[in-house]
Amino acid sequence: MAENEKKVVFSGVQPSGNLTIGNYLGAIKNFSRFSEEYKTFYCVVELHAITVRQVPAELRKRTYETLALYMACGLDPTKNTLFVQSHVPQHAELGWMLDCYTMFGELSRMTQFKDKSAKHSQNINAGLFTYPTLMAADILLYQTDLVPVGIDQKQHLELARDIAIRFNQLYGDTFRVPEGYIPTDTMKIMSLAEPTAKMSKSDTNQNAVVYILDSKDDIIRKFKRAVTDSDTRVCFSEDKPGVSNLMTVYRAFTGKSFEEIEREFDGRGYGDFKLAVGEACADGLAPVRAEFDRLIKDKAYLEEVMKAGAQDAFVNARRTMSKVRRKIGFVNI
Ligand code: TYM
C-alpha cells in the first residue's frame, strides 16, 4: 500500500521516570504490531513531562532511554517514525490553538488532573491543567486513526475526539476523529504493593513497581514480595486483586489462559506461583534489556534517529497546520 493511503497510528510515552511493565504491557509492546500496515508515529513526550518538576539532566537522559526502549521493544526506525515531541514545534503551536476550543469545565473533569493536583499540591501549574489539550494536539496533528494506550488514557482520548468533532463542526472537515486501541488483557497492570492502584512509574515505593530494565534478581524479588491475600488458591477473581494482577502478568508473558494457569498451580500455593511469574517476566524482558544495553551506548545513532524522525513528523505536522491556520483565519505567508 502507498505510504499516503495507510491509516495512521500515533502514541506517546512520557520520559518522566523509568518505564514499567505497565507501560510495556499496556502500550509499548503493542506498538510494533502496526508497523507494517499503518503509518506509525511514536513520540517521546517531554513537553508533557515538564508539567511535573523534572531534574534537567535526568529528563535528558530519560529522553534518550525512552527512544532506545522503543527500539529495544521492536520498533525499527526505518519502519516507524520515532521522534521527540519538542523537536516538532507544531505540537505546542496546535496545543495552544486547541486550548481555545477546549472548555474549562471539560479540563476540570479530568481524573488525571485531579490525581496529579492532589499529589503535587505545591505545583498545580497551568500546563498540568491543559495537559490533555496538548495530548489532543499530538494526536490530531497527524490525522491519526488509532491510538494504542492503556485504559488510564481513555478519558484524555475521548476529550481529543470531542475537540476534533467540535473543531470540524465549526470549520468543516479538518481533523480525523481518532479511535483508541486499548488491549483488553493488559490495559491496567496494578501496583505489586497496592493491587487496587495502577502500577505507576512515579511511585516512590520501588517494590510496588517492576521496571522494564530491572535485573532478573530484582524482578524475582519484587514478585516474591507482591501483596496477595490470606487464601492460597491461584484463581482469577475480583476479590483477589493481587493474585489476579499476577495472573494477568503471567498470562501476558506466557500466552497461557487463566484456566491453564489455575490448573498449573492447583494445590501448589502462592510461593511457587510468584516465583514462576517473576521468572516468566524476567525471561520475557531479557531480550529487551540486552538490546537496550547495546543501543543506549550509541548516542550519535540515537540522535540520528531523533533527527530523521523529527524531519518526517515535521512534514506531516506542517500539512495539518497549514489547513488549521487557513480554517481559523490566520494569514499564511
Ligand atoms: P504515560 O507516559 O503515563 O504512559 C505511557 C503508556 O503506558 C500506559 N500505561 C499503562 N498501561 C497499563 N497498565 C499500567 N499500569 C500503565 N501505566 C501506564 C499508558 O496508558 C500509556 O499508553 N498522556 C500519556 C502520554 C501521551 C500520549 C499522547 C499517549 C502524550 N500524548 C498521545 C498517546 C497519544 C501518558 O502520560 O502516558
Side-chain angles (χ1 to χ4, degrees), residues 29 185 247-261 264 280:
K29 182 170 175 262
D185 49 345
M247 288 177 75
T248 300
V249 172
Y250 192 59
R251 177 175 66 170
F253 281 107
T254 60
K256 293 177 185 170
S257 69
F258 285 148
E259 294 73 38
E260 285 172 312
I261 299 170
E264 183 178 352

Side-chain angles (χ1 to χ4, degrees), residues 10-14 16 20 22-23 26-27 45 48 85 112 131 135 138-139 147-153 156 186-190 198-201:
F10 182 97
S11 199
V13 174
Q14 295 189 69
S16 52
T20 72
N23 299 127
V45 293
H48 280 104
Q85 191 182 27
Q112 192 163 308
Y131 178 113
M135 179 163 159
D138 297 341
I139 297 167
V147 186
V149 280
I151 192 91
D152 62 326
Q153 297 302 314
H156 289 162
T186 51
M187 61 190 171
K188 194 173 185 186
I189 304 299
M190 310 308 266
K198 184 186 83 165
M199 183 181 285
S200 162
K201 55 172 127 63

Side-chain angles (χ1 to χ4, degrees), residues 131-144:
Y131 178 113
T133 330
L134 179 61
M135 179 163 159
D138 297 341
I139 297 167
L140 302 183
L141 206 41
Y142 299 97
Q143 305 294 347
T144 301

